[in-house]
Amino acid sequence: MRKILVTGAFGLVGSDLVPELQKRFGKENVFALGNKTIPEDFDGNLVRGDVTDYSSLEVIVKEDRITDVYHLAGLLSVGSEKDPELAWKVNFGGLKNVLDLAKIYKFKVFWPSSIAAFGPTTPKINTPQHTSLEPTTIYGIGKVTGELMCQYYWKRYGVDVRSLRYPGLTGYKAPPGDGTTEYSVHIFYGLLKEGRYSAFLKENTRLPMMYIDDAIKGTIDLMEAPAEKINVRTSYNFGAINFTPKEIAEEIKKLYPDFVCTFDPDPVKQSIAESWPESIDDSEARRDWGWKPTFDLPKMTETMIGGLKEKLGIGS
Ligand code: SER
């Protein structure tokens, strides 16, 4: 019997992943671990806890006989720059706790890496799987270290840990987090609440992006793939679409011609964005376990608007 624990269950990924796992594996078999932001209307097994606390994690894993952990808890890029100490403690310390427990209790692990593992010396276009990893953010340094730890725990202890380098993710279920690519979520709130948005990146800053439904599908597909298909034990490049703030604004304007988008780059966010790639070569994920995205920019835009309107209770 599968028993699945999701840490960071109420963040951008968790908010969509938990309901999908509940649908596939049964509500009673999914345990959502949250720390601070827990929605009042959550329907399922709720566990309160902190991933930096090894002993309390151990109790959960043991008592609920966990077989799979999706370890999503962590600070995003901008939040990490505000408090590098905390970022290291949560992002790296949390992963280390999960891997150490997986060694003992033999559960399978998913952990997200990010395009933030790359840096200014990485080729920006069609970034290869195996390339220079010299990130300049504490968030990215944690991702590279985490990737190497995942591979080490697989090779040394046989921990079945799998990982994806998430691009910027766009979804509407969770409020946007403190990240760099999150402008692609804020822009829809701006559209629906005020008819305008001021982007914190320059208009032509191109980044690799993905609609959340594709990310959830890829994440579960990777976890469900037979172990012998997984040839990358650091973290797979994971691509879908790429666009600039100007391009997403123009896509929105096709549906809402009066929408106004201005650009007022924030120096910290802009410099983080400029250290990341523009597009990703994900051919190894496609070859090994059949990765294939389905959302392009127009479909993502339409879906975001429909979903967020419903969430905010705005009629058409
Ligand atoms: N979306 C994340 C961020 O911008 C990237 O991993 O922080």
Side-chain angles (χ1 to χ4, degrees), residues 173-187:
K173 289 206 182 121
D178 208 359
T180 306
T181 56
E182 267 65 13
Y183 83 85
S184 71
V185 182
H186 286 288
I187 195 169

Side-chain angles (χ1 to χ4, degrees), residues 45-65:
N45 297 318
L46 176 66
V47 198
R48 277 173 203 273
D50 179 347
V51 296
T52 64
D53 179 355
Y54 180 92
S55 315
S56 69
L57 265 187
E58 184 170 30
V59 171
I60 297 162
V61 162
K62 238 165 110 171
E63 278 187 357
D64 296 320
R65 295 170 190 277

Side-chain angles (χ1 to χ4, degrees), residues 222-294:
L222 173 68
M223 279 295 263
E224 293 301 308
E228 63 273 14
K229 297 258 183 215
I230 312 297
N231 294 308
V232 175
R233 288 290 178 167
T234 49
S235 188
Y236 275 101
N237 276 10
F238 189 47
I241 48 181
N242 59 77
F243 54 79
T244 64
K246 190 173 173 201
E247 285 168 357
I248 189 172
E250 275 168 5
E251 199 56 47
I252 292 173
K253 272 194 211 170
K254 289 183 193 161
L255 303 169
Y256 289 79
D258 294 337
F259 175 60
V260 178
C261 188
T262 54
F263 305 92
D264 182 17
D266 170 88
V268 173
K269 293 172 185 162
Q270 186 63 38
S271 89
I272 294 175
E274 284 176 12
S275 75
W276 291 351
E278 295 187 8
S279 60
I280 297 293
D281 174 1
D282 60 2
S283 47
E284 298 209 21
R286 290 175 189 249
R287 183 200 63 206
D288 287 358
W289 47 275
W291 163 239
K292 196 167 181 275
T294 59

Side-chain angles (χ1 to χ4, degrees), residues 67-180:
T67 58
D68 300 55
V69 173
Y70 288 79
H71 174 48
L72 307 175
L75 279 72
L76 290 179
S77 57
V78 180
S80 296
E81 287 311 307
K82 288 179 189 156
D83 192 343
E85 284 291 329
L86 181 69
W88 188 258
K89 191 173 162 211
V90 176
N91 292 11
F92 184 70
L95 174 63
K96 177 82 169 41
N97 284 341
V98 169
L99 291 174
D100 282 336
L101 287 166
K103 200 167 81 177
I104 302 168
Y105 295 99
K106 311 280 177 223
F107 52 78
K108 200 192 261 188
V109 180
F110 172 81
W111 173 74
S113 183
S114 159
I115 50 168
F118 302 119
T121 57
T122 307
K124 273 191 177 302
I125 316 279
N126 237 359
T127 300
Q129 175 69 47
H130 302 284
T131 185
S132 161
L133 299 172
E134 295 182 335
T136 46
T137 61
I138 190 68
Y139 178 70
I141 293 166
K143 292 299 188 194
V144 174
T145 318
E147 287 189 9
L148 294 171
M149 285 297 274
C150 288
Q151 180 173 254
Y152 182 79
Y153 273 65
W154 160 249
K155 287 195 167 159
R156 178 85 204 261
Y157 307 115
V159 172
D160 189 355
V161 47
R162 304 167 182 208
S163 176
L164 296 169
R165 289 174 178 152
Y166 282 154
L169 302 178
T170 308
Y172 62 84
K173 289 206 182 121
D178 208 359
T180 306

